[in-house]
Amino acid sequence: MGQTLTGLLTSVRAIAGRPGTPPRARPGGGPDPELLAALRHCGDHLAALAASGPLTDARRTRLIASIGALTTACSTPGADAFDALLRTGQQALDSGGDAGARLALALADEATTLRARSKGAWRLRGSALDALGRSEEAITAYERHLALQQNTAASHDVERRIATLRAAGDRIDEALALDGDGVGDGAGGTDGAGAVRLSRRLPAAEARVAFTELVRLRTAERGAADPAVRRLAALYAEHRRLSDRDLMADPLLGGAEPIGVPGLRRFLAGRTVCLVADTPHTAEQEQRPGSSLAALIEGYDLVVRCDAVRHAAPTARTDLHAVTLRGDSPWKGPRWDRRATARLVFGDPLPHWRLALRSRLVPGAQDRIGDATLRRPLHDPALLAEAADADGPASTAYTVLRLLDFLGTPARVDLIGFEGPAALPPREREWIGARTGTTDDTAVRITLG
């Protein structure tokens, strides 16, 4: 194998030149400059392998064979070496280690330059960046692959990987927000040893080290029993789990994508929102052709409906459906079959909340479902952290309003139809009254801030 490796390195250098060699002008029928650059990267890798001693790893043997096939394709007039380039990149990635991933990335860069619309090249680039822990760049490359991929059934693993990388980054963002809200002594962990060094844009290994240090520092400052520190530790555990393996789709969630606080923030950002009361009068007006109320509702970016929607038509637009699980647990009841882009389910304790989701969600009835971090926003220490009300759970509309107020990303929030039988309890009306901007015959417009 030593002789074969040396001979292959000689062939590669003869075609592509040595490191630092200026790019050659492409002769008629000769290799593209990008292929010559790829061969130079392969030559550098072969030289490092030759210097490392005898090769006993079958994965590296396969990589060397793949480089040989690429070299042959580049030296054969009229041959299309692009597929051989992608295969070599994949073998470099499969060989393991940072050196293999760096070679795969270098080859993917040449491949995307050579053919910018190659879905295979963009997937290779995403995989190489992923292996190097450069998650945000990997997401960009994976998304480029998906944009070019016509066969969506072949892309589920890429979509799942993107969801995993984003979820891991979201845990970091939530930890930073929590730390900035006062888990540490200084906002945002400005002591320089914790949150300041933590970012979703850090390479994965560095992010793990920084996250570990942040949890250690905050636990030492506040104690493990502190509610916010417990939440920070839970985020750390979730981040480590997501870093170790892909986010697996829960078949009992009917294919819906779980979203947490960061995902809901993005869903609401910059949009106008209306909460529509489920009353016979509102439903009748909404269904009447040419109704001014129907036109008003249709003008919002997001329409929110709460709990069991008995009066509005089954086809009435619902972008966000929110429901509170009431009474004794486990909560049994009709399945949530109203079509909604996103669904939030509020309830505690956690095991019974999970059981309710799995028994009452209808596959295909929602694209997103709020995860466990959104199941009790009023009382969660990481969110509003209010004491439980002795009078029982708050109304769902009030819970949604408080959550939107906390997130602070919608452009505007209005209540429509919340009068008469749909009026909220006095304590909740008082909170709304303090934030009411304008009122008219159809809507109570609230300025959240």
Side-chain angles (χ1 to χ4, degrees), residues 10 31 72 82 89 133 142 180 192 199 214 217 240 246 251 262 267 270 276 279 283 299 339 341 362 364 381 405 433:
T10 301
T72 300
F82 189 77
Y142 283 144
S199 165
L214 174 62
L217 285 169
R240 289 302 301 266
D246 276 353
F267 179 67
V276 181
T279 65
R339 179 74 180 112
T341 305
V362 175
D405 184 38

Side-chain angles (χ1 to χ4, degrees), residues 24-332:
R24 302 178 184 180
R26 180 183 179 186
D32 292 281
E34 293 81 8
L35 290 172
L36 294 175
L39 279 179
R40 282 194 290 274
H41 291 305
C42 290
D44 295 343
H45 193 77
L46 288 173
L49 289 178
S52 66
L55 297 177
T56 58
D57 189 332
R59 296 176 300 174
R60 291 183 175 180
T61 302
R62 287 193 292 271
L63 171 58
I64 293 168
S66 186
I67 293 174
L70 175 61
T71 305
T72 300
C74 288
S75 60
T76 303
D80 185 355
F82 189 77
D83 287 345
L85 174 61
L86 293 186
R87 284 194 295 272
T88 304
Q90 188 58 53
Q91 289 294 345
L93 197 58
D94 293 344
S95 70
D98 283 352
R102 285 194 295 270
L103 176 60
L105 178 58
L107 300 186
D109 285 344
E110 301 300 341
T112 54
T113 302
L114 190 59
R115 296 186 187 176
R117 294 188 59 79
S118 167
K119 57 182 180 289
W122 284 105
R123 179 163 185 172
L124 176 62
R125 189 171 198 278
S127 299
L129 289 164
D130 198 354
L132 291 168
R134 293 159 60 177
S135 302
E136 296 300 307
E137 295 172 85
I139 289 173
T140 301
Y142 283 144
E143 288 178 332
R144 179 66 173 152
H145 163 79
L146 291 179
L148 295 166
Q149 176 64 270
Q150 300 297 316
N151 180 11
T152 55
S155 301
H156 290 328
D157 56 337
V158 176
E159 292 171 346
R160 190 161 52 243
R161 186 59 187 159
I162 290 174
T164 299
L165 294 174
R166 280 193 174 138
D170 288 347
R171 300 310 186 271
I172 290 177
D173 286 347
E174 188 176 343
L176 290 171
L178 182 64
D179 195 51
D181 286 340
V183 180
D185 292 335
T190 52
D191 55 18
V196 164
R197 295 194 299 113
L198 180 60
S199 165
R200 69 186 299 153
R201 297 192 175 278
L202 281 176
E206 294 180 32
R208 282 195 293 271
V209 171
F211 211 155
T212 302
E213 182 67 4
L214 174 62
V215 174
R216 186 190 68 78
L217 285 169
R218 299 305 174 242
T219 303
E221 290 170 1
R222 301 287 293 274
D226 182 81
V229 172
R230 287 203 308 270
R231 179 60 188 154
L232 187 65
L235 289 169
Y236 171 76
E238 291 171 16
H239 180 267
R240 289 302 301 266
R241 176 180 59 81
L242 291 165
S243 299
D244 291 339
R245 62 179 186 270
D246 276 353
L247 185 68
M248 296 300 295
D250 187 343
L252 296 177
L253 296 184
E257 174 193 353
I259 60 169
V261 173
L264 185 60
R265 272 199 178 100
R266 287 195 297 269
F267 179 67
L268 297 165
R271 302 172 110 177
T272 56
V273 180
C274 70
L275 276 72
V276 181
D278 185 46
T279 65
H281 174 72
T282 302
E284 188 271 330
Q285 289 291 317
E286 192 176 357
Q287 296 173 53
R288 179 183 297 174
S291 160
S292 59
L293 181 62
L296 175 67
I297 293 173
E298 191 57 34
Y300 288 90
D301 297 321
L302 293 176
V303 176
V304 182
R305 301 181 195 272
C306 299
D307 297 318
V309 184
R310 297 184 176 88
H311 302 292
T315 56
R317 177 182 158 201
T318 306
D319 300 298
L320 175 63
H321 176 235
V323 59
T324 301
L325 299 168
R326 301 181 187 278
D328 296 330
S329 58
W331 300 285
K332 296 180 180 179

